[in-house]
Amino acid sequence: MLLLGCVKEVSDYELVVSLPNGLSGFVPVTQISDAYSKMLSKQVAQGELLEDLNSLSDMYSPGTLVRCIVTSVEKNADGRRSIKLSIDPKKVNKGLNASALALGMLLSGFVSSVEDHGYLIDIGVSGTHAFLPRQKAQNYIKAAKRGPDLKIGQNLNCVIVEVKNEGRVVRLSIDRSEVAASLATERQNWTLSNLLPGLVVKARVQKVAPLGIKVNFLSSFTGIVDFMHMDPEKSMNYSPDQVMKACILSIHPTSKVVRLSLRQSFLHPGGSPNQLSNDRMGAVVEESTVKAFYKQFGAVFELDDGTLAFARLKHLSKTRKSFKPGAFKTGCKHKCRIIDYSLMDEMCIVSLKYQIIEARFLQYQDIHTGDVVQGKVLTLKPIGMHVKVTDGIKGLVPSMHLGEMILKQPEKKYSIGDEVKCRVLECSPAGKKLILTLKKSLVQSKLPILSNYEDAKPGLITHGFVVCAREFGCIVKFYNDVKGLVPKNELSTEHVSCPDKVFHEGQVVKVMVLKCEPQQERLLLSFRLSSKPAQEDKKECTSKKKQEMKYQIGEMVDVKVLKKKDNGLEVSILEDEGNVIASIPTVHLSDFVGNCKLLWHCLQEGDVLPRVMCLSDKGERIILSRKSAVISAVQEEQVVRSFSEIQPGMLLTGYVRNVMPFGVFVEFPFGVTGLAPKMSMSDKFVTDTKDHFVVGQTVIAKVMSIDEEKQRVLLNLKVSECSSGDSAAESFALLSQYFKEMKEIRSLLRRRGESSMAQGLSELVPGKELQLVVQDVKEDGSALFSGSSVTGLTVTATRYHLGDKNIVPGEKTKALVLHVDALTSRVYVSLREELLKR
């Protein structure tokens, strides 16, 4: 099948070509022309680059119209069809012979040789020599701005300006004005066997139908203009016998059906279709208006900027069963996302599918180095694992990155179709190259991403992986192929005689930048992140000194409650036989503000608290913390020990130190503090800062900027900015920790047993079913209840949670526990049937 196409993308080995009706095809580098293929073969045989062999990107650019022929249609591994094309003139022009060549014909040709006075052009017609004089090429060469000469293998639109010896010799022109004015006529004796796409003809309207127009052209030929190729400005004004210009788009090889376009961009050969601006690709359009619906194809929409877009039938709903044709009447509004642009239809391709509208990644350009992505295992090969991120995005996990250690039998750990969580090591949209890692230490790292040498500032601490361990030291690699050297003397505080026995290829390491020369791409690193704390002085003068030296920040201890104070607990450290006194502020009893007061209320003198972390020892007394998020950050080394270690982009776990009208001060372990200004506190608009944060609240903050001179750090507390990538996993971990603490609180209440009310509270958990008696129904629709299992507690249900039931005092009913507030002894319940049935 012959088609007119438009170059969409150019790579080293193929052209991606936009075809009519939203399709795409691929032209391999071997299907350009005979002369170009011979030069490729010569280069391969010689094993060295040829000076006069130009790359595809030197000869082709997006927007170039080309005549193509379909060579094959194959199914890919994921079930999609792949259309292979050729633009070789011997295949495209195979219907032509020398005797059929006529003055004014517009043909595709390729430069096969550069001569003194012009160029030999391959037009694919056996027995014909085609010559292009230099003067007929100068206008084109100047406008193309691709050098002083045409290049071998370059595609050209050529007009025949002279025919000699019955077509055995022809002279050509590629002058832009002559090409643009060319018109196929009856005198040129075109037949259905040699008719070519890209020809502009005069067509007469024969019939106008909802799906298109039937036209006559070149006296005896009939063709179809479908709805996507009518001129948008005249689509409602076509009438029978109207004469207009049309461009041939395709000729079917067997049925001989000819399809044409009336769009202005195709009516002047040598031109280019309109292109979509880069910022529109992937854009979500809140309101697009249905212009027309075609039940066999899809729907045409008008977008917010007035341009037209097309959605295929499968993109109008999640499934065929959920599709409702009534929702696509003219004028109906829908939310959609631009997923592609068809150059040949000059129309955006959109989708109404929710999962596509909400998708984080749509094209390679959306993915950035360091992003955490979810994918599915496609194949396992010796070089690594191929992962499908989305329908159009695939990546490679090299064998070194399949695990923390190099896996000898990865097929035992991974299976085709497995869901995997990866981090992007390198992404090149131009070459559609995506390199990923599955190393857990890299995927979960909250340290800054080092993806270029300019960011490698002295003192920066980050994660990398060892690619080489030799006698001279280790070479460590980061993102985007950035790599540096850790010399032997920087491998450890202890002497390392044989680095290759201590470090192995693929090992994830934490390193500090010592020096960087970006222009030379030289990077000097160290595994010695900071000097170790001085050893305990043998001569201790006071018990205070003893405490300071013995308990370092981050050290875990078991403690016993000595006394409850208004602002926290006074405890003794059991490891030191109770001689060392410390404090746990109320706000440091939990990551959850509500649980802090509850734990303080439940804990009694003599209670033992295991695994509490030393947070500070600067004052007269050691300060301890039970905040699990803060403890995890310290243990996993996701902290900064001094101002010099802070870098923009870091995600740090800390706690609110003070709430001011202009922002929130956050303190981190080891005493570093920063400010989150009002505008960077929340994704919602902040009127009063105290409505959003309280002192002691655990937060994750992103470092925005650093003022080294004033020793100031500006932070961002917006949830959208402070996620490490897997927000669902983070939320689940927090929820699990919350329920773990609630279980601990119930255990404390049960153990105390000082009243039946405390015992009752300890037995109540969300989801528990109770038998209750209605005590009172209030004016606002809420109700109060009593029962043997809730003696002394206030049990209430809101109007919503009474459901459709009309209850009266004294009535017995079943209810489900929603929430228990142990501090106020209130229990919230629901009578709704859909909850009780669960």
Side-chain angles (χ1 to χ4, degrees):
M1 185 173 186
L2 287 168
L3 297 151
L4 184 65
C6 183
V7 176
K8 189 176 180 180
E9 297 173 19
V10 184
S11 68
D12 292 339
Y13 303 108
E14 66 181 13
L15 302 175
V16 181
V17 178
S18 170
L19 301 174
N21 300 111
L23 299 174
S24 287
F26 305 89
V27 180
V29 70
T30 54
Q31 290 295 327
I32 303 298
S33 69
D34 268 1
Y36 194 71
S37 294
K38 284 176 183 175
M39 291 186 71
L40 286 172
S41 299
K42 185 179 177 181
Q43 179 171 283
V44 171
Q46 291 183 359
E48 58 183 33
L49 296 174
L50 300 180
E51 285 186 15
D52 51 350
L53 177 64
N54 294 281
S55 66
L56 293 182
S57 57
D58 288 334
M59 299 185 292
Y60 297 91
S61 56
T64 306
L65 290 171
V66 289
R67 290 184 171 105
C68 320
I69 186 167
V70 178
T71 57
S72 67
V73 179
E74 302 168 357
K75 270 195 174 182
N76 292 333
D78 57 1
R80 291 187 165 200
R81 289 185 177 183
S82 174
I83 302 172
K84 295 283 180 67
L85 305 167
S86 174
I87 56 175
D88 187 335
K90 280 186 170 56
K91 295 178 180 177
V92 173
N93 298 336
K94 66 180 179 181
L96 288 168
N97 53 46
S99 60
L101 299 178
L103 212 63
M105 276 187 168
L106 181 70
L107 304 175
S108 289
F110 289 80
V111 179
S112 61
S113 177
V114 181
E115 307 295 328
D116 291 340
H117 301 291
Y119 306 89
L120 293 180
I121 305 296
D122 179 7
I123 58 172
V125 178
S126 180
T128 296
H129 294 278
F131 182 71
L132 171 64
R134 278 193 181 273
Q135 67 267 27
K136 288 291 186 180
Q138 289 307 307
N139 173 287
Y140 177 90
I141 291 171
K142 285 180 182 177
K145 296 178 181 178
R146 285 182 173 267
D149 254 328
L150 298 176
K151 300 172 176 68
I152 293 175
Q154 189 167 344
N155 174 267
L156 302 168
N157 276 312
C158 311
V159 177
I160 298 177
V161 293
E162 188 179 357
V163 180
K164 293 181 180 179
N165 301 333
E166 297 179 336
R168 288 191 290 274
V169 177
V170 296
R171 194 161 60 89
L172 307 171
S173 172
I174 59 170
D175 185 89
R176 295 170 74 86
S177 57
E178 290 183 51
V179 170
S182 66
L183 195 68
T185 63
E186 290 88 341
R187 287 184 181 180
Q188 294 166 2
N189 295 319
W190 292 100
T191 68
L192 279 174
S193 299
N194 62 23
L195 199 63
L196 293 170
L199 295 177
V200 176
V201 298
K202 281 191 175 180
R204 183 184 297 273
V205 177
Q206 187 178 352
K207 184 181 178 182
V208 180
L211 292 177
I213 303 172
K214 191 175 182 181
V215 297
N216 292 329
F217 63 98
L218 296 177
S219 299
S220 58
F221 299 137
T222 302
I224 297 168
V225 180
D226 68 34
F227 65 92
M228 291 179 78
H229 279 274
M230 297 180 191
D231 187 337
E233 296 180 5
K234 302 176 183 176
S235 58
M236 303 302 291
N237 301 316
Y238 295 111
S239 56
D241 291 326
Q242 183 179 344
V243 177
M244 60 215 161
K245 278 187 176 182
C247 177
I248 296 173
L249 289 180
S250 65
I251 304 103
H252 197 278
T254 52
S255 67
K256 301 299 180 184
V257 172
V258 180
R259 294 189 177 274
L260 302 97
S261 175
L262 302 179
R263 288 183 169 270
Q264 289 297 316
S265 302
F266 301 104
L267 302 184
H268 304 283
S272 295
N274 294 317
Q275 299 197 35
L276 183 71
S277 61
N278 290 332
D279 61 332
R280 290 289 283 170
M281 184 62 72
V284 175
V285 180
E286 293 295 331
E287 277 196 354
S288 58
T289 308
V290 177
K291 297 291 287 183
F293 173 66
Y294 306 95
K295 62 181 180 181
Q296 292 180 324
F297 304 104
V300 175
F301 296 85
E302 183 178 333
L303 303 182
D304 50 8
D305 60 355
T307 58
L308 296 180
F310 180 69
R312 296 185 183 91
L313 210 58
K314 68 177 184 179
H315 278 284
L316 293 177
S317 61
K318 187 176 181 180
T319 61
R320 286 188 178 183
K321 288 183 179 179
S322 63
F323 177 63
K324 297 176 181 177
F328 296 94
K329 292 178 181 177
T330 302
C332 289
K333 306 281 187 184
H334 291 276
K335 185 178 181 179
C336 66
R337 187 174 188 181
I338 299 172
I339 59 172
D340 201 358
Y341 181 75
S342 173
L343 286 163
M344 282 305 297
D345 303 310
E346 293 185 314
M347 196 177 281
C348 292
I349 307 298
V350 299
S351 176
L352 276 66
K353 288 186 173 183
Y354 174 80
Q355 61 267 41
I356 290 178
I357 292 173
E358 296 298 321
R360 186 178 168 202
F361 306 115
L362 199 63
Q363 52 185 348
Y364 284 89
Q365 287 84 346
D366 299 331
I367 297 180
H368 302 99
T369 302
D371 281 346
V372 175
V373 301
Q374 293 284 143
K376 275 189 179 180
V377 178
L378 282 179
T379 56
L380 280 165
K381 295 184 177 180
I383 60 167
M385 176 197 293
H386 285 102
V387 174
K388 175 183 173 183
V389 179
T390 66
D391 282 342
I393 302 175
K394 295 172 187 173
L396 172 71
V397 182
S399 54
M400 180 198 290
H401 286 275
L402 291 173
E404 292 291 307
M405 305 286 288
I406 295 177
L407 303 180
K408 292 183 179 179
Q409 295 177 303
E411 64 277 3
K412 288 188 175 181
K413 183 174 182 179
Y414 301 105
S415 301
I416 308 301
D418 282 356
E419 292 273 354
V420 288
K421 183 178 176 183
C422 318
R423 194 159 212 163
V424 178
L425 287 175
E426 188 178 343
C427 184
S428 173
K432 293 188 175 180
K433 178 183 176 184
L434 181 63
I435 307 297
L436 307 165
T437 181
L438 282 168
K439 290 182 181 292
K440 196 173 180 181
S441 302
L442 292 177
V443 174
Q444 295 183 348
S445 174
K446 293 183 181 179
L447 293 178
I449 299 298
L450 184 55
S451 57
N452 60 71
Y453 289 94
E454 286 73 18
D455 289 343
K457 306 296 182 188
L460 172 72
I461 295 176
T462 187
H463 278 123
F465 54 94
V466 176
V467 291
C468 174
R470 296 288 187 272
E471 188 180 346
F472 54 80
C474 289
I475 294 175
V476 177
K477 205 170 183 181
F478 304 95
Y479 297 81
N480 279 347
D481 207 31
V482 173
K483 47 185 172 285
L485 170 67
V486 182
K488 196 171 182 179
N489 63 322
E490 292 293 339
L491 292 175
S492 174
T493 52
E494 304 295 330
H495 175 67
V496 178
S497 56
C498 299
D500 57 325
K501 292 183 179 179
V502 179
F503 303 97
H504 59 84
E505 186 182 350
Q507 181 178 346
V508 176
V509 288
K510 188 184 284 189
V511 297
M512 181 169 71
V513 175
L514 295 179
K515 184 181 178 183
C516 183
E517 297 175 20
Q519 291 184 342
Q520 289 76 31
E521 295 189 349
R522 290 178 185 168
L523 185 57
L524 190 65
L525 308 165
S526 175
F527 289 159
R528 299 163 63 180
L529 304 184
S530 61
S531 58
K532 297 290 180 182
Q535 290 188 348
E536 185 179 11
D537 190 349
K538 294 180 181 179
K539 297 179 182 179
E540 298 173 3
C541 299
T542 64
S543 61
K544 180 181 174 182
K545 278 188 179 178
K546 179 183 173 183
Q547 289 182 191
E548 288 176 350
M549 300 306 293
K550 189 170 182 180
Y551 296 100
Q552 302 298 331
I553 295 173
E555 189 170 346
M556 304 302 295
V557 295
D558 296 341
V559 299
K560 183 178 181 180
V561 178
L562 295 178
K563 190 187 295 183
K564 292 175 71 172
K565 296 187 173 183
D566 292 341
N567 61 348
L569 304 175
E570 184 178 286
V571 297
S572 63
I573 298 175
L574 296 179
E575 283 88 337
D576 208 9
E577 298 179 357
N579 292 328
V580 179
I581 308 300
S583 294
I584 307 178
T586 303
V587 294
H588 275 279
L589 287 172
S590 170
D591 282 318
F592 308 97
V593 176
N595 284 0
C596 289
K597 290 182 180 178
L598 199 52
L599 280 163
W600 182 91
H601 178 76
C602 294
L603 288 166
Q604 298 295 321
E605 293 177 11
D607 285 345
V608 173
L609 297 175
R611 295 192 57 75
V612 182
M613 187 184 76
C614 177
L615 188 68
S616 169
D617 61 355
K618 289 181 181 179
E620 294 181 0
R621 188 168 289 176
I622 296 171
I623 305 298
L624 306 174
S625 178
R626 287 185 83 240
K627 288 180 178 289
S628 57
V630 176
I631 293 170
S632 295
V634 175
Q635 290 182 337
E636 293 171 14
E637 289 291 328
Q638 307 290 342
V639 291
V640 288
R641 296 172 183 270
S642 64
F643 185 88
S644 62
E645 293 184 12
I646 301 176
Q647 295 292 331
M650 278 185 167
L651 288 176
L652 300 171
T653 304
Y655 41 89
V656 175
R657 182 175 174 178
N658 205 353
V659 181
M660 304 297 287
F662 53 83
V664 169
F665 286 97
V666 178
E667 185 172 352
F668 304 102
F670 297 94
V672 176
T673 59
L675 171 67
K678 194 174 180 179
M679 63 181 291
S680 301
M681 280 175 54
S682 173
D683 289 301
K684 298 178 181 178
F685 181 73
V686 178
T687 304
D688 188 347
T689 54
K690 291 182 179 179
D691 292 339
H692 293 263
F693 291 95
V694 297
V695 173
Q697 183 175 341
T698 305
V699 293
I700 295 176
K702 185 176 184 178
V703 179
M704 301 303 293
S705 63
I706 304 162
D707 186 335
E708 293 185 11
E709 187 178 342
K710 296 181 180 178
Q711 296 274 296
R712 289 179 182 172
V713 182
L714 283 183
L715 307 170
N716 192 329
L717 296 178
K718 291 180 179 180
V719 174
S720 60
E721 296 284 338
C722 297
S723 172
S724 61
D726 193 346
S727 54
E730 289 175 356
S731 299
F732 184 76
L734 282 171
L735 201 58
S736 298
Q737 181 61 27
Y738 174 78
F739 284 123
K740 183 180 177 182
E741 287 187 7
M742 289 306 297
K743 187 176 180 181
E744 178 190 6
I745 290 166
R746 285 196 299 274
S747 176
L748 287 169
L749 286 170
R750 196 179 298 117
R751 197 172 73 235
R752 278 168 58 188
E754 57 188 39
S755 68
S756 58
M757 186 175 75
Q759 286 293 322
L761 279 170
S762 69
E763 299 297 329
L764 294 176
V765 292
K768 184 172 182 177
E769 192 175 291
L770 303 174
Q771 290 288 344
L772 301 174
V773 177
V774 181
Q775 287 289 96
D776 188 21
V777 180
K778 297 187 175 182
E779 290 182 6
D780 62 2
S782 63
L784 294 173
F785 302 87
S786 64
S788 58
S789 57
V790 291
T791 305
L793 304 176
T794 303
V795 184
T796 183
T798 62
R799 182 177 181 179
Y800 171 80
H801 278 288
L802 292 179
D804 299 327
K805 294 183 179 179
N806 294 315
I807 57 174
V808 294
E811 182 181 341
K812 292 183 179 180
T813 183
K814 287 182 180 179
L816 197 77
V817 176
L818 296 175
H819 176 63
V820 180
D821 188 340
L823 278 177
T824 60
S825 300
R826 295 182 73 90
V827 181
Y828 298 88
V829 298
S830 177
L831 275 63
R832 294 186 72 88
E833 286 297 329
E834 61 267 34
L835 293 178
L836 287 165
K837 285 178 182 177
R838 289 184 184 180

